Amino acid sequence: TRTWVRESHDLFDFEASQIQSQTLAVQSTAKLVRTGSEIQAIDERTGEQVGEPLLRVVQRDGQFWVDKASHTREAKKLWTVVRELPTKAHKLCEGDQIKLGRVRFRVRQLVAHGTDCVRPDLLFTDEAQRTPCCVPADHEERLASTTCRICLLEGSTDEDPLINPCNCKGSIEYVHLGCLRHWLREGLRLPDSSEGKPVGSFVYRPQICELCKSAYPSGVHTQGAQQSQQQPLVELPKTSGPFIVLESQERERGERHQKSLHIESLADKPVLKFGRGHESTVRIADVSISRCHATIRFQEGEFILEDNNSKFGTLVQMKKPQALGPGNNVSIQVGRSVLNLSLPRPQD
């Protein structure tokens, strides 16, 4: 075990000299706890827990497993240290949680084929549950004398209906769908795909009304006499594959941040670079991020995440208990401690 003696946002400094190292032998199911900078292995059946629980080593069916200290919300998350994997790289899957320093991303979408142009899935979790804005079947008659708050023209048509996408009331309640789309596209600064050509990388952020501050819905539902139709509020450009969609996550300890989705295409570049430096593909303005912190490359149909010897490491959240095998070391970070777990090789 290695523990950074300094407490700072649950980070571990891989370059620090003030590291307390220990070696522990676990022969049965035990819980590893930390008191100060010292880690102990406590037998769950006989030992009294004193300190901060880190993880459990479980002996089951003649095999050892690594699991969270408990299955409550308060239990610390376990993060695999990418640089200490046998291949020094991690093959990404949709749903993976990535941690660079104290900045976290979730892999929302992976599109490996490079010939087709696909529209990225840009719905946030809360947006997917939000009720879409509805256009009633009699909107042309009912809203014939209603004014659009952007273009100030009256009337609603099937081609450009009036909608009420937020909590604004009175004379500013309704807006033409086309007017709102143009307004939002200007605010998002999305790349132009009007000629049908695929675009490269861009960033998408959820939009709110500048007047009432309520969030806009993700889609518009039109009720017709023959059939109903649902379409996105903002027509997003198609992206040429291979590309990856990363959703920014809240930082530890509830720090405020603005949600965003990073759509990054590798069609015209061999590798994505994450860091604070100007040469980075995804620039992250955070003190825990190195100038060139980590990279993602597309190789043989897979997205490969690698650490670039960063100060605070590149981590991937462990989703389920992991089995230990002979000669197969597993490095897991829990807060400011990194635990390297291994089974002794069988003696001849």
Side-chain angles (χ1 to χ4, degrees):
T1 68
R2 291 168 289 164
T3 300
W4 189 26
V5 298
R6 179 182 174 186
E7 180 68 59
S8 179
H9 301 279
D10 278 346
L11 295 172
F12 179 85
D13 189 348
F14 288 88
E15 299 176 355
S17 58
Q18 297 176 321
I19 300 294
Q20 181 166 329
S21 300
Q22 297 174 251
T23 301
L24 306 174
V26 178
Q27 298 180 349
S28 60
T29 298
K31 182 176 291 188
L32 300 186
V33 300
R34 185 178 61 214
T35 305
S37 296
E38 183 180 353
I39 295 177
Q40 304 176 59
I42 298 177
D43 192 318
E44 290 186 327
R45 296 167 297 181
T46 60
E48 180 181 352
Q49 179 177 318
V50 178
E52 182 181 17
L54 300 181
L55 55 77
R56 295 174 69 230
V57 177
V58 181
Q59 187 180 28
R60 185 173 64 243
D61 300 329
Q63 194 170 16
F64 281 95
W65 298 75
V66 184
D67 197 3
K68 295 194 298 183
S70 67
H71 292 280
T72 62
R73 294 176 59 90
E74 292 74 23
K76 281 186 171 293
K77 296 177 180 178
L78 307 185
W79 300 87
T80 302
V81 182
V82 172
R83 70 168 73 185
E84 297 183 1
L85 289 170
T87 60
K88 300 187 182 300
H90 172 77
K91 183 174 68 174
L92 289 174
C93 300
E94 292 184 351
D96 277 350
Q97 295 272 0
I98 304 172
K99 189 175 181 183
L100 311 177
R102 60 180 184 177
V103 179
R104 295 188 297 156
F105 294 96
R106 184 166 75 92
V107 179
R108 283 288 307 276
Q109 186 180 13
L110 296 172
V111 175
H113 41 82
T115 55
D116 299 332
C117 300
V118 182
R119 185 166 282 116
D121 176 17
L122 301 185
L123 286 182
F124 291 90
T125 304
D126 53 351
E127 283 185 323
Q129 298 171 349
R130 198 177 300 153
T131 304
C133 178
C134 291
V135 179
D138 60 344
H139 66 99
E140 291 185 88
E141 179 182 354
R142 198 174 74 176
L143 302 175
S145 59
T146 303
T147 302
C148 169
R149 73 187 188 201
I150 293 180
C151 69
L152 303 180
L153 296 178
E154 295 181 349
S156 178
T157 64
D158 289 336
E159 293 76 19
D160 195 11
L162 283 170
I163 61 173
N164 55 339
C166 58
N167 294 330
C168 288
K169 301 298 179 184
S171 60
I172 59 173
E173 179 176 359
Y174 287 91
V175 61
H176 283 124
L177 177 58
C179 294
L180 182 59
R181 279 178 170 171
H182 180 76
W183 179 272
L184 293 178
R185 286 187 64 87
E186 290 295 318
L188 286 168
R189 298 180 180 177
L190 296 175
D192 184 21
S193 60
S194 56
E195 297 180 0
K197 296 181 180 180
V199 300
S201 304
F202 62 94
V203 178
Y204 170 76
R205 294 181 175 86
Q207 298 299 291
I208 63 171
C209 174
E210 297 178 349
L211 301 174
C212 68
K213 305 303 180 184
S214 63
Y216 285 127
S218 58
V220 178
H221 184 76
T222 305
Q223 300 174 349
Q226 301 293 331
Q227 60 180 0
S228 299
Q229 180 183 10
Q230 185 161 330
Q231 53 186 318
L233 182 64
V234 181
E235 286 288 350
L236 296 166
K238 290 185 177 181
T239 305
S240 53
F243 69 83
I244 181 172
V245 179
L246 298 172
E247 179 180 351
S248 66
Q249 302 288 288
E250 291 186 9
R251 295 177 183 171
E252 301 291 343
R253 310 193 182 193
E255 295 184 24
R256 294 182 60 187
H257 89 303
Q258 185 182 16
K259 281 187 176 182
S260 60
L261 288 173
H262 295 262
I263 298 86
E264 301 295 339
S265 174
L266 288 108
D268 58 349
K269 59 179 76 73
V271 65
L272 298 177
K273 297 180 180 180
F274 295 77
R276 284 189 296 115
H278 293 280
E279 71 281 359
S280 299
T281 315
V282 181
R283 290 190 64 192
I284 308 171
D286 191 278
V287 294
S288 67
I289 301 296
S290 301
R291 292 187 180 276
C292 184
H293 194 104
T295 60
I296 295 177
R297 54 188 169 86
F298 185 72
Q299 180 178 333
E300 298 180 354
E302 305 288 353
F303 292 85
I304 308 298
L305 172 68
E306 295 177 301
D307 182 66
N308 193 43
N309 293 322
S310 59
K311 182 178 178 66
F312 293 112
T314 300
L315 313 173
V316 177
Q317 185 178 342
M318 204 174 82
K319 299 178 182 179
K320 57 184 180 180
Q322 187 166 342
L324 295 176
N328 181 24
N329 294 6
V330 177
S331 288
I332 296 174
Q333 181 173 331
V334 193
R336 57 191 177 96
S337 296
V338 172
L339 300 94
N340 183 273
L341 300 101
S342 61
L343 289 179
R345 294 182 181 274
Q347 297 182 353
D348 296 333

